[in-house]
Amino acid sequence: MASRLNQIGVPAQAFDSWDVGIFTDSNFGDARLLASSEQAIANTFENRIDPNVVAVVTGFIGHDPNGRITTLGRGGSDLTATAIGAACRLDEIQ
């Protein structure tokens, strides 16, 4: 998605969800977001991501405290988007 956006002239960059602060418990297949995710997401978007670039973030996955990839289960992509939107205090997510 980020590549295509760049091709049509929309500046974009791809990110893995854990690189923007999506941290979960270790319950693979139905992981829950850790409370620390909200501040990690806010810090990442405030300090590391250019506000003039569309951030394309993978949904449905995160990292547990041991750095293992986890999946969030049903609705995980929506949860990822909602967590980012809430942490960034946005009025709308798409």
Side-chain angles (χ1 to χ4, degrees), residues 47-69:
N47 300 310
R48 288 190 39 221
I49 297 179
D50 183 342
N52 299 309
V53 173
V54 174
V56 178
V57 182
T58 57
F60 189 72
I61 58 175
H63 263 184
D64 74 2
N66 298 310
R68 291 186 297 241
I69 295 172

Side-chain angles (χ1 to χ4, degrees), residues 1-69:
M1 179 58 72
S3 293
R4 181 64 183 138
L5 287 170
N6 282 304
Q7 286 175 344
I8 63 170
V10 178
Q13 183 175 354
F15 295 92
D16 286 320
S17 61
W18 49 82
D19 290 332
V20 301
I22 301 292
F23 303 120
T24 70
D25 63 20
S26 299
N27 189 14
F28 185 85
D30 195 22
R32 304 265 183 213
L33 292 177
L34 298 179
S36 61
S37 290
E38 184 173 5
Q39 190 60 51
I41 294 165
N43 287 341
T44 299
F45 276 85
E46 184 175 321
N47 300 310
R48 288 190 39 221
I49 297 179
D50 183 342
N52 299 309
V53 173
V54 174
V56 178
V57 182
T58 57
F60 189 72
I61 58 175
H63 263 184
D64 74 2
N66 298 310
R68 291 186 297 241
I69 295 172

Side-chain angles (χ1 to χ4, degrees), residues 80-93:
T80 302
T82 302
I84 292 169
C88 294
R89 299 193 185 342
L90 302 177
D91 294 327
E92 179 181 350
I93 57 171

